[in-house]
Amino acid sequence: MESEPTAELIRAQLRRLRLAAELTQEDFGKLVHFSGSQISAIELGQRPFDRLFLKRADEVLNSDGLLLGLLRIAELHGQPNWLRPWLDAERAARQLRCYHPTLVPGLLQTEHYARAVIRADDLLSDDEVERRLAVRMERQAILTRPDPPMLVAVIEEATLRRADESFRGIMTQQVSHLLDCVKRGGVLVHVIPADASVHVGHAGPITLARGVEGEWLGHLENHVGGTTIDRDDEIATLLARWEGVRSVALPKGQSEVLMKEVMESWTI
């Protein structure tokens, strides 16, 4: 994904780094498996670049991920208007609460699971799938920064068990990742057992963020977009709905035991 003026900045930085490394376009092209004319076309904006090319360029030019980082920033800033307020709230949050009735929350998805979920939309091209995947993975960086928010996620047992033979490997990796996140700290995962009764969360996903001043924001998504919620009465409703969802989930220890049982059931 390229967007002006960020693409122009990336091309300028690419040329600057190449010249600083005292590499001709031909020499640099050989190192990244391109011809000299292709490198010239990329630097002049006559040929598009992709993530793989920028990754190779960063490695060859010892640029510490600069080029790929610029692309990631462009991808985040290129998000639709309805999502930008929530991305800002997510990055600034001190606490996050996530529930989805049918999916693992995006902040806890593995790359393979996320790609499968995004690719389920037949309207998306392969390039768009990879662009959305990159953005989703980049958003997860908030969980590994020096001052991460506390993330509390509620997941349905049925979501964890949704694994036919072709999807079982992905789900095994996904559940293992959830357990690793919990073990690392800063993340709590509570599982709603399959025998739980109908509850308020079945009405749809709930995501909440608490800022540094203690204020709450909510986010609701649907098939065509999403909305960031900030009105006090609506936030009060979402917090009450969250408590309703959380109340039917298992405690932390029992949730971990259940996740391990799910994985073990696939190896029998």
Side-chain angles (χ1 to χ4, degrees):
M1 193 272 305
E2 298 180 38
S3 61
E4 299 293 349
T6 306
E8 184 177 337
L9 173 61
I10 291 174
R11 290 193 294 268
Q13 290 299 314
L14 172 65
R15 185 173 187 277
R16 179 187 67 79
L17 290 165
R18 178 180 62 77
L19 292 175
E22 299 183 345
L23 291 171
T24 66
Q25 291 177 335
E26 192 71 32
D27 291 338
F28 175 64
K30 291 177 181 178
L31 294 172
V32 295
H33 312 301
F34 275 63
S35 68
S37 61
Q38 288 174 322
I39 298 300
S40 176
I42 289 174
E43 290 184 357
L44 292 172
Q46 299 168 351
R47 177 189 175 98
F49 50 77
D50 59 16
R51 304 184 69 81
L52 180 58
F53 170 78
L54 294 181
K55 182 175 184 295
R56 287 175 176 166
D58 275 328
E59 292 170 352
V60 168
L61 298 170
N62 296 315
S63 53
D64 197 28
L66 172 64
L67 300 174
L68 198 54
L70 288 172
L71 180 62
R72 288 169 176 163
I73 291 172
E75 289 171 333
L76 288 172
H77 288 177
Q79 293 304 298
N81 290 335
W82 59 263
L83 185 57
R84 290 176 189 171
W86 175 251
L87 292 179
D88 290 339
E90 190 176 75
R91 286 191 292 268
R94 302 309 307 144
Q95 184 182 140
L96 291 162
R97 298 178 178 180
C98 305
Y99 165 78
H100 197 292
T102 58
L103 296 172
V104 173
L107 289 176
L108 294 176
Q109 292 178 2
T110 64
E111 182 175 340
H112 292 303
Y113 181 92
R115 181 180 285 108
V117 170
I118 297 170
R119 184 165 282 159
D121 186 346
D122 294 333
L123 298 177
L124 302 180
S125 66
D126 288 345
D127 286 345
E128 179 63 12
V129 168
E130 292 305 311
R131 187 191 72 80
R132 295 192 182 194
L133 174 65
V135 171
R136 185 165 301 183
M137 294 297 100
E138 183 67 19
R139 288 170 65 180
Q140 294 181 4
I142 63 172
L143 300 180
T144 54
R145 69 191 186 194
D147 58 338
M150 169 61 72
L151 171 62
V152 184
V154 176
I155 303 174
E156 298 279 351
E157 179 184 350
T159 295
L160 302 180
R161 292 191 181 278
R162 187 175 292 111
D164 59 24
E165 290 188 9
S166 64
F167 199 58
R168 193 158 294 173
I170 291 176
M171 284 306 302
T172 299
Q173 183 188 53
Q174 177 61 72
V175 177
S176 178
H177 177 65
L178 292 174
L179 289 166
D180 288 343
C181 288
V182 172
K183 184 177 180 180
R184 185 177 66 230
V187 174
L188 295 175
V189 175
H190 299 279
V191 180
I192 296 179
D195 59 3
S197 182
V198 174
H199 59 82
V200 68
H202 289 158
I206 300 172
T207 309
L208 290 154
R210 188 178 187 183
V212 293
E213 302 296 330
E215 74 284 5
W216 286 96
L217 286 177
H219 185 66
L220 301 177
E221 289 193 25
N222 55 52
H223 283 276
V224 294
T227 304
T228 298
I229 308 299
D230 59 3
R231 285 179 45 181
D232 289 346
D233 58 334
E234 293 178 339
I235 288 295
T237 297
L238 288 181
L239 286 170
R241 297 283 171 83
W242 166 264
E243 292 302 327
V245 169
R246 174 66 187 84
S247 68
V248 296
L250 296 173
K252 174 180 178 292
Q254 293 181 32
S255 294
E256 291 178 38
V257 169
L258 180 53
M259 285 189 282
K260 292 175 183 177
E261 288 178 354
V262 167
M263 286 198 300
E264 291 171 1
S265 71
W266 296 330
T267 61
I268 296 176

